[in-house]
Amino acid sequence: MYLTGTYKHNLDAKQRITLPAPFRKEFGEKVCLIPLGGKILGFTPEGHQAWVESYFPNGYNPRNKKDERLRFLLNAKTMTVELDSAGRIALGKLGAAALASCDITREVAVVGNTDHFEIWDAADYDRTVAELDASIDELDSLMYD
């Protein structure tokens, strides 16, 4: 799977978004959604499992309380939802508190990030990209001047 690109959408009245067509081709019927770091990450079930496992580079130890708590939290915050026949995802299933923690109200940016997609509040996304662009431009000028 290799997801790239940015797609702007509006949530409908039922808090659903249509997954961009290039992304839908990479997903089956289910998407694992986790609100984290001010955005919602979307994985295939297999991709989510690999992502959770990546937090344990030396392997998961069920007798280690830190490992147990971290894995529990990552899985507890994740909601597996089905894509409907129109390719929509019901973000409302995450709950109002999860959407509020990501500032998601109406307009969103759906962004491909290699092995998963991210759903951002559109204004937050635009601001973050502008800050990153400025940082890159500043680094370029330092390196090549």
Side-chain angles (χ1 to χ4, degrees):
M1 173 179 317
Y2 191 69
L3 303 176
T4 60
T6 301
Y7 305 83
K8 299 270 180 109
H9 291 284
N10 287 322
L11 296 179
D12 67 12
K14 294 182 180 180
Q15 295 182 308
R16 298 176 299 195
I17 61 158
T18 301
L19 198 59
F23 294 5
R24 282 195 307 263
K25 293 176 184 177
E26 300 291 339
F27 285 80
E29 298 174 0
K30 296 181 180 183
V31 176
C32 295
L33 301 174
I34 181 168
L36 191 67
K39 56 193 168 285
I40 298 169
L41 309 181
F43 296 92
T44 64
E46 300 80 14
H48 180 266
Q49 183 178 7
W51 177 74
V52 170
E53 289 172 2
S54 75
Y55 279 85
F56 308 99
N58 297 322
Y60 169 73
N61 179 355
R63 292 181 302 271
N64 180 309
K65 286 185 179 187
K66 183 180 175 187
D67 284 7
E68 179 61 28
R69 288 179 182 159
L70 178 57
R71 188 173 81 163
F72 171 81
L73 183 61
L74 293 172
N75 285 316
K77 290 183 69 157
T78 300
M79 176 68 65
T80 301
V81 299
E82 292 191 17
L83 287 167
D84 69 12
S85 60
R88 293 175 298 203
I89 301 170
L91 297 182
K93 290 187 178 185
L94 289 170
L99 295 181
S101 74
C102 299
D103 294 326
I104 292 177
T105 54
R106 179 93 173 118
E107 188 179 354
V108 298
V110 182
V111 183
N113 193 353
T114 308
D115 63 346
H116 68 282
F117 64 85
E118 300 177 356
I119 302 170
W120 292 67
D121 169 75
D124 288 346
Y125 172 78
D126 291 341
R127 198 171 22 262
T128 299
V129 168
E131 289 169 6
L132 290 172
D133 282 346
S135 296
I136 290 171
D137 289 345
E138 184 178 322
L139 285 174
D140 278 350
S141 69
L142 291 173
M143 292 175 63
Y144 299 112
D145 280 346

